[in-house]
Amino acid sequence: MTRFAIALGSNQGARRDHLRRAVAEVDRLGSVEEVSALYETEPIGGPAQAPYLNAVVVLESMSQPRDLLAALHQIEAAHGRTRDMRWGPRTLDLDIVAMDGDPIRAPDLEIPHPRAAERRFVLEPLCDIWPDAMVGDGLTAAAAKAVVTDQEVVRLAASWLEDEPDP
Ligand code: A4P
Ligand code: MG
């Protein structure tokens, strides 16, 4: 059994609804053990685009990392995700940001995610649920978060999976 941190992001369509449904879909790949608070975050990189909603979940799963990534891509596709532009707007992005066990450094898959340690929209929710997760060589999420202070993130709700309207 492996513990994975999966980051969820959306800045197109019914953002909260995409994330809420994605949590249920990810749960089918194993068991979602923790869900972070929900954050509204300023877009980092790419073109001028709308603000994101971001969250992180901890998934415990028997899947191999590559099989998990393929399953996450299927979920993204089912949410109408298109890949027109790197760092462009998206209905749903699912990234594996950290896992327990050895790091993976391959062209198609890197864990920890290579940009996780510099992104507050990942670190803030990750620290809600797994502050000791490794996001770099000897670097925990909590230590990385202490350094990244320049990106705006607003904590919207601690509990956000129930059926409420989109913010
Ligand atoms: N890939 C390699 N490692 C991983 C991994 N650990 N998890 C490969 C997921 N994918 C991984 O990703 C490109 C390729 O990365 C995939 O084919 C996969 O094999 P993608 O999802 O197709 O495209 P992307 O998400 O645009 O690229 P990338 O480089 O992962 O983007 P980032 O760095 O995740 O940035 N601002 C805010 N506020 N909130 C956001 O959520 N997201 C992004 C995307 C930019 N700015 C943002 C946000
Ligand atoms: Mg991605």
Side-chain angles (χ1 to χ4, degrees):
M1 190 72 88
T2 308
R3 203 170 149 82
F4 296 96
I6 297 173
L8 301 83
S10 172
N11 78 336
Q12 273 186 339
R15 300 174 301 166
R16 176 173 164 150
D17 199 46
H18 282 299
L19 297 197
R20 193 191 296 127
R21 280 165 39 219
V23 172
E25 290 154 1
V26 168
D27 185 56
R28 288 186 212 127
L29 310 176
S31 174
V32 167
E33 298 292 321
E34 312 273 0
V35 180
S36 76
L38 182 67
Y39 293 83
E40 186 159 53
T41 66
E42 71 170 322
I44 304 295
Q49 55 184 310
Y52 279 79
L53 292 185
N54 285 110
V56 172
V57 301
V58 170
L59 173 72
E60 287 192 355
S61 176
M62 302 292 283
S63 291
Q64 295 304 311
R66 271 199 178 70
D67 297 335
L68 176 60
L69 182 65
L72 296 177
H73 283 163
Q74 281 183 1
I75 295 173
E76 290 177 343
H79 284 251
R81 165 77 184 270
T82 56
R83 289 184 157 74
D84 315 320
M85 180 192 320
R86 192 177 183 203
W87 298 336
R90 68 274 314 272
T91 52
L92 181 64
D93 190 30
L94 297 172
D95 288 338
I96 307 172
V97 291
M99 63 185 278
D100 54 13
D102 292 333
I104 298 175
R105 290 271 165 262
D108 59 327
L109 181 61
E110 288 190 59
I111 307 175
H113 191 285
R115 287 167 292 284
E118 49 202 53
R119 293 182 156 179
R120 219 176 139 203
F121 67 77
V122 170
L123 297 171
E124 205 69 51
L126 180 56
C127 283
D128 286 344
I129 54 177
W130 192 5
D132 295 336
M134 286 297 175
V135 295
D137 202 8
L139 182 68
T140 63
K145 188 182 90 161
V147 184
V148 181
T149 52
D150 61 331
Q151 303 162 21
E152 198 182 335
V153 306
V154 176
R155 190 184 174 103
L156 291 184
S159 161
W160 53 277
L161 290 180
E162 57 298 336
D163 207 14
E164 284 169 27
D166 245 52

